[in-house]
Amino acid sequence: MRIAIYPGSFDPITYGHLDIIQRSTQLFDKVIVAIAENPQKQALFTLAERLEMLREVLRDVPRVEIDAYQSLTVEYARRKGACAVIRGLRVISDFENEFVMALTNKKLAPEIETLFLMTEARYSFISSSAVKEVAYYGGCLKDMVPPPVEARLRAKFREIKG
Ligand code: ADP
């Protein structure tokens, strides 16, 4: 069985992520969407909330598992018996970070490949941070995130703004 992991912050999951997940399930027997818990990164949503959103949005996508981890990504991949780490590429500015990360991971775990899927043009402008900014100012999120995520963003900012 060929297993891949798709690691990220998913704070929150967007249509861009969803597209990468759906496309990777065509390439692997199982794709584990895994939230990388990074204490240095300040997230808007708690880990539990991010997991719930993944579950809501990925409920009907076959061959997908949802998880979270706190270790090095390649160590997690090894634990799960994965042969590949999937990452999405949007803009040229993604490339530099992803390049360094992929080479570092290759050094640590030569048997695990990083596989880059190019974003679909219509999702290329979507990022979790842009989504949060649009949500903060009450803008339209229809083409950026699935409805359950939009509802959570609205609720979160209502709570924050009081
Ligand atoms: P991280 O903090 O690891 O970058 P993200 O949740 O922001 O986590 O993103 C996870 C992965 O999804 C990254 O490889 C990122 O480049 C990719 N990604 C994010 N948004 C999109 C998009 N709109 N289209 C394609 N890939 C994307």
Side-chain angles (χ1 to χ4, degrees):
M1 178 144 99
R2 299 187 81 73
I3 302 170
I5 64 162
Y6 179 41
S9 311
F10 304 109
D11 185 42
I13 183 170
T14 69
Y15 279 133
H17 295 130
L18 195 56
D19 173 54
I20 298 288
I21 294 165
Q22 275 162 337
R23 286 159 57 199
S24 27
T25 60
Q26 304 300 310
L27 302 172
F28 292 91
D29 300 308
K30 181 161 89 180
V31 174
I32 306 172
V33 180
I35 299 178
E37 280 186 79
N38 184 347
Q40 278 149 28
K41 260 194 191 173
Q42 184 68 36
L44 174 66
F45 290 100
T46 65
L47 176 65
E49 289 169 332
R50 283 179 283 159
L51 283 168
E52 280 166 24
M53 282 187 279
L54 287 180
R55 282 193 206 104
E56 284 166 356
V57 170
L58 297 172
R59 189 171 293 146
D60 298 323
V61 186
R63 295 190 295 282
V64 167
E65 224 175 82
I66 293 154
D67 196 14
Y69 67 97
Q70 255 181 338
S71 63
L72 281 173
T73 296
V74 285
E75 273 170 16
Y76 173 73
R78 270 185 183 146
R79 268 206 310 282
K80 291 287 167 182
C83 60
V85 174
I86 292 164
R87 298 287 290 174
L89 279 182
R90 281 161 297 185
V91 285
I92 295 173
S93 53
D94 275 345
F95 181 80
E96 197 171 338
N97 281 336
E98 295 293 340
F99 182 71
V100 172
M101 213 174 346
L103 288 185
T104 308
N105 286 342
K106 192 79 188 166
K107 185 97 191 144
L108 295 170
E111 79 282 12
I112 294 172
E113 288 294 344
T114 302
L115 190 68
F116 293 102
L117 296 187
M118 192 71 75
T119 183
E120 241 202 71
R122 66 192 152 134
Y123 301 128
S124 61
F125 69 99
I126 304 176
S127 66
S128 296
S129 43
V131 159
K132 284 180 273 193
E133 191 157 335
V134 171
Y136 180 82
Y137 291 110
C140 177
L141 292 164
K142 187 169 77 64
D143 296 326
M144 298 184 178
V145 295
V149 176
E150 174 167 0
R152 290 214 182 224
L153 278 160
R154 303 262 180 246
K156 179 63 91 177
F157 282 116
R158 264 200 309 275
E159 180 191 316
I160 289 173
K161 290 179 167 178

